[in-house]
Amino acid sequence: MSYDDHDDHGHHGSWAPIIASFGTMLFLYGFAEGNIGLIAIGISILVWGLFAWWKGDLPFDGSEKMGELKSFGTPFGGINVRKAGIWLFLMSEVMIFGTFFGAYTRMRSGWNTHWTLRGKAEEAVEAGAPGNAESIYDTCISHGHVNESACFDATNGLVNNSFWVTDAGTPAYHHVAAEYVTADFWTLLPGAVNTFALILSSFTVVLALKAAKNIDLEPRVRDRKVRNYLTVTLLLGSIFIALKLYEWNHLIHEGFTISTLAGSFFYVTTGAHGVHVFVGLVFISYFIYKAHIGGWDHNNAQSIEYYGLYWHFVDLAWVLIFPAFYLY
Amino acid sequence: MGEHHTGWQKTLFDKTGKDVYFWNFMILMLFTIVEVGAVYMSISYGATLFALVSVGIVKFFGIAAFFMHLWDDERELTYTFAFPFVFVAILFIGIAFTNPAGVIALPAWCSPEFIGSYSSTGP
């Protein structure tokens, strides 16, 4: 490894991330086992690791401005090590969300209303229902939305209430969130606002990075700009979380719960994305504090860039989740 | 970074006074409006799906290429980001788009324990 702004300071690699990772491991293991004690210990170690990590960053005595480590091996030769590391991390994130999308696509293409109803429509035609299977299918799903009563009539009762709801009254597994969301614009509105909020927050992170790297700005002006842009990002992310919880509350009250197959895909995927947003908000809170005390300049602004890569990926995931889970 | 303003990005900045990040942001917002509007227009199911997929691709490119700087950065980083999509594509082709009977037709050693609980014809 080499340095781009080498000085006499040796590089002080931090042990804090491995501690935070260990705490995360204990927390998740405790969560899976339902062990409250282990959850508490894991969270405590995680928080300790994060505080130690940030405390090590705070002195601003110049040691943190020694420059970025650069790798020299294939394939990342000449690239900042931390930058390559973030991209490697994002590779794993792609796989995580890829599995969510794969499972969701499996459900939508295979077991969900469209294929199932095509089969039901054919059965209805064979049983004497008027029209052909395609027209019955179009009646059941008008503009992509389920029309239960029309479907009941068109299939001579073959697709009856038990197909749509369980005995307990909750929707059967093949209802998807989009049926509840796009049916009413005011239900779709939180999701649309969230999309705008995340895209805008990605832009404000870019603006914060530009301000931090701008050597022509007065230090106080630079600090204020970076702090303000990051604060707007934090606010927009908080709006996202708040609207997400509002949406979930609304959908659950409508009967679209995690106990259904489609619901489990929806809530796990959007929940995982929400956790990623929340983690991003935790980190940006520290960045805002650091900007407030004048900790950023062009020498160490790369940290904002690397955070930005994570935040833009979160935005990217939402750009794909929103049309797939809310609009389609 | 955009403030270097080279090539077409410099031309864009010189002509409009705004850098590529600003225009990328505006395009993303515009396409989001198109995307939301598409589901409320009286167009066919296929046209809606085409609109959603197309807009998704455009927005994906905009965020990855410009906000995440892949357009200007080393190609190795683009390859790094693209690499897992190969496995995601295999996941989609091999699992997501197969016949629903694919689950119950799996060999015994590959069958999940809930086999037989779901069928392609609904509950």
Side-chain angles (χ1 to χ4, degrees):
Chain A
M1 296 186 182
S2 61
Y3 303 85
D4 59 354
D5 288 318
H6 185 71
D7 61 14
D8 291 331
H9 288 91
H11 185 257
H12 47 90
S14 174
W15 47 263
I18 194 71
I19 297 297
S21 299
F22 180 69
T24 304
M25 181 192 75
L26 288 181
F27 162 71
L28 291 174
Y29 184 70
F31 190 78
E33 293 290 319
N35 187 324
I36 300 296
L38 207 52
I39 291 173
I41 293 172
I43 290 177
S44 302
I45 295 175
L46 169 62
V47 171
W48 170 43
L50 287 177
F51 272 111
W53 196 3
W54 293 339
K55 186 171 179 295
D57 186 50
L58 282 176
F60 304 146
D61 57 1
S63 60
E64 79 287 350
K65 297 179 183 176
M66 58 174 298
E68 288 281 324
L69 290 170
K70 284 190 182 296
S71 61
F72 58 85
T74 303
F76 301 116
I79 300 174
N80 292 341
V81 167
R82 290 198 298 164
K83 190 168 192 172
I86 281 286
W87 279 108
L88 288 171
F89 165 66
L90 293 181
M91 279 175 64
S92 69
E93 294 284 89
V94 168
M95 286 309 303
I96 290 173
F97 283 98
T99 56
F100 292 148
F101 275 99
Y104 176 72
T105 309
R106 178 74 172 95
M107 186 265 298
R108 288 302 299 266
S109 66
W111 295 328
N112 200 40
T113 317
H114 300 278
W115 281 30
T116 313
L117 273 181
R118 286 187 193 278
K120 289 288 186 183
E122 288 165 5
E123 287 179 34
V125 169
E126 287 172 9
N132 55 41
E134 196 61 32
S135 63
I136 290 176
Y137 172 78
D138 288 339
T139 301
C140 290
I141 301 191
S142 173
H143 297 291
H145 303 147
V146 172
N147 190 330
E148 298 180 16
S149 60
C151 201
F152 178 87
D153 294 336
T155 58
N156 285 351
L158 188 65
V159 181
N160 56 23
N161 196 52
S162 65
F163 183 79
W164 306 109
V165 294
T166 64
D167 291 340
T170 56
Y173 67 85
H174 45 260
H175 279 265
V176 294
E179 297 170 28
Y180 301 89
V181 171
T182 55
D184 177 8
F185 177 76
W186 296 107
T187 310
L188 174 62
L189 188 61
V193 170
N194 275 353
T195 305
F196 288 117
L198 272 193
I199 293 173
L200 181 57
S201 69
S202 274
F203 186 51
T204 52
V205 169
V206 170
L207 293 175
L209 178 60
K210 284 179 64 178
K213 281 178 168 270
N214 192 339
I215 58 176
D216 297 326
L217 287 176
E218 293 286 328
R220 288 181 61 183
V221 173
R222 179 192 63 229
D223 295 337
R224 190 180 72 243
K225 278 179 173 282
V226 173
R227 184 196 65 204
N228 291 346
Y229 285 135
L230 293 180
T231 301
V232 171
T233 305
L234 175 67
L235 288 174
L236 290 168
S238 302
I239 289 172
F240 181 92
I241 296 289
L243 287 178
K244 173 68 55 199
L245 293 174
Y246 169 79
E247 268 176 41
W248 277 18
N249 180 63
H250 176 79
L251 287 171
I252 290 169
H253 275 92
E254 288 286 309
F256 186 70
T257 65
I258 199 172
S259 59
T260 64
L261 180 65
S264 67
F265 287 123
F266 173 80
Y267 287 106
V268 167
T269 304
T270 57
H273 180 265
V275 167
H276 281 76
V277 172
F278 180 76
V279 169
L281 297 183
V282 170
F283 277 84
I284 205 172
S285 299
Y286 169 71
F287 280 24
I288 293 169
Y289 169 71
K290 186 169 175 175
H292 183 65
I293 61 175
W296 295 111
D297 64 18
H298 65 280
N299 288 313
N300 65 353
Q302 294 93 337
S303 296
I304 298 178
E305 179 181 355
Y306 304 150
Y307 170 83
L309 288 175
Y310 170 81
W311 191 252
H312 296 318
F313 179 81
V314 168
D315 184 18
L316 196 65
W318 180 253
V319 157
L320 299 177
I321 289 173
F322 178 61
F325 286 78
Y326 286 78
L327 300 181
Y328 172 56
Chain B
M1 282 296 295
E3 63 269 18
H4 295 310
H5 299 311
T6 59
W8 65 270
Q9 296 185 27
K10 184 178 187 307
T11 304
L12 178 66
F13 181 79
D14 290 341
K15 285 186 181 299
T16 65
K18 299 289 186 185
D19 62 16
V20 67
Y21 303 109
F22 172 80
W23 289 113
N24 187 45
F25 164 68
M26 296 302 289
I27 289 171
L28 290 172
M29 298 292 258
L30 174 66
F31 272 89
T32 302
I33 294 171
V34 168
E35 175 179 61
V36 174
V39 297
Y40 286 101
M41 294 172 61
S42 299
I43 57 178
S44 68
Y45 167 76
T48 303
L49 187 59
F50 175 78
L52 292 179
V53 171
S54 302
V55 168
I57 292 172
V58 170
K59 292 170 71 175
F60 184 99
F61 176 80
I63 292 173
F66 298 108
F67 280 169
M68 299 177 86
H69 309 145
L70 283 179
W71 185 270
D72 295 316
D73 280 346
E74 293 84 351
R75 281 290 166 259
E76 287 79 8
L77 296 177
T78 302
Y79 301 149
T80 302
F81 188 53
F83 179 66
F85 285 97
V86 173
F87 297 97
V88 174
I90 294 172
L91 196 69
F92 268 60
I93 294 169
I95 297 177
F97 291 124
T98 52
N99 187 287
V103 172
I104 57 176
L106 290 173
W109 58 266
C110 191
S111 303
E113 59 185 32
F114 56 77
I115 215 173
S117 300
Y118 300 113
S119 73
S120 60
T121 56

